[in-house]
Amino acid sequence: MQDIIIGSDHNGFGLKTQIKQFLIEKKFFCVDVGVQSSAKPDNNATVPPILSVVKEVADCVKGAKHFAGILICGSGIGLSISANRFTGIRAALCTSVEMAKNAREHNDANILCLGSDELDFETAKKIITTFLNSKFIDNVQRYRVRRDMFDNMDKVK
């Protein structure tokens, strides 16, 4: 089994809590770096709490290959955009099992982004299970080339 690092903003807190319990029941070691309540953040904060969460999840996934990451907010969009700013991170916003399977198999996604406003818990469990059980298809050259291009976007001319 692999270790999972999970984080959310206040909108994703409820779903994150359910997912964390689900992962623990499935014998995953789950590290929670997200906010610890559904209270709205202080709008006067210099750095919104969710950006610190995204950075911590991205740093852990980049630094320790045994980690997979899960990020949850209302839509999943903001987290996937911000997570993909980190070199070596391939965050995928998935709303279906098929998207989760393709994210792993074709793109070697290492962070799963979910929208708590878009998914119920049962659907989220299926997506997470698929994401964690799918493997990158390393023997297909176009997938390897694409993954390497994703990881080196700052060098593309």
Side-chain angles (χ1 to χ4, degrees):
M1 287 290 173
Q2 62 188 150
D3 299 342
I4 309 298
I5 185 158
I6 189 168
S8 73
D9 69 357
H10 66 286
N11 286 324
F13 177 76
L15 183 58
K16 178 191 72 172
T17 302
Q18 291 177 300
I19 289 169
K20 191 166 88 172
Q21 185 59 41
F22 166 72
L23 292 169
I24 291 168
E25 288 170 7
K26 294 291 183 186
K27 307 294 185 220
F28 286 91
F29 180 73
C30 197
V31 178
D32 182 353
V33 298
V35 299
Q36 298 304 309
S37 81
S38 59
K40 290 191 177 189
D42 175 8
N43 287 336
N44 295 322
T46 306
V47 177
I50 191 56
L51 294 183
S52 297
V53 170
V54 172
K55 181 176 180 0
E56 189 162 355
V57 169
D59 286 346
C60 284
V61 170
K62 283 189 324 188
K65 295 210 182 262
H66 63 281
F67 273 100
I70 299 175
L71 288 168
I72 308 157
C73 68
S75 68
I77 296 169
L79 295 179
S80 63
I81 290 170
S82 58
N84 278 310
R85 297 290 194 256
F86 292 88
T87 301
I89 295 300
R90 294 171 302 281
L93 172 59
C94 297
T95 58
S96 71
V97 167
E98 189 60 31
M99 288 176 75
K101 184 175 187 285
N102 287 337
R104 288 288 301 131
E105 290 181 354
H106 299 188
N107 300 297
D108 200 16
N110 50 17
I111 294 179
L112 173 64
C113 297
L114 300 171
S116 61
D117 295 342
E118 310 303 319
L119 302 170
D120 60 36
F121 177 53
E122 291 304 314
T123 304
K125 286 193 312 189
K126 291 174 187 171
I127 291 169
I128 291 164
T129 300
T130 300
F131 186 86
L132 295 176
N133 290 327
S134 298
K135 303 288 184 234
F136 179 58
I137 304 174
D138 196 33
N139 63 347
V140 176
Q141 183 178 4
R142 73 177 187 271
Y143 297 157
R144 282 194 322 271
V145 169
R146 181 170 48 204
R147 180 195 54 200
D148 293 345
M149 286 172 52
F150 290 157
D151 288 348
N152 293 292
M153 289 298 290
D154 54 338
K155 298 174 186 162
V156 173
K157 294 180 184 189

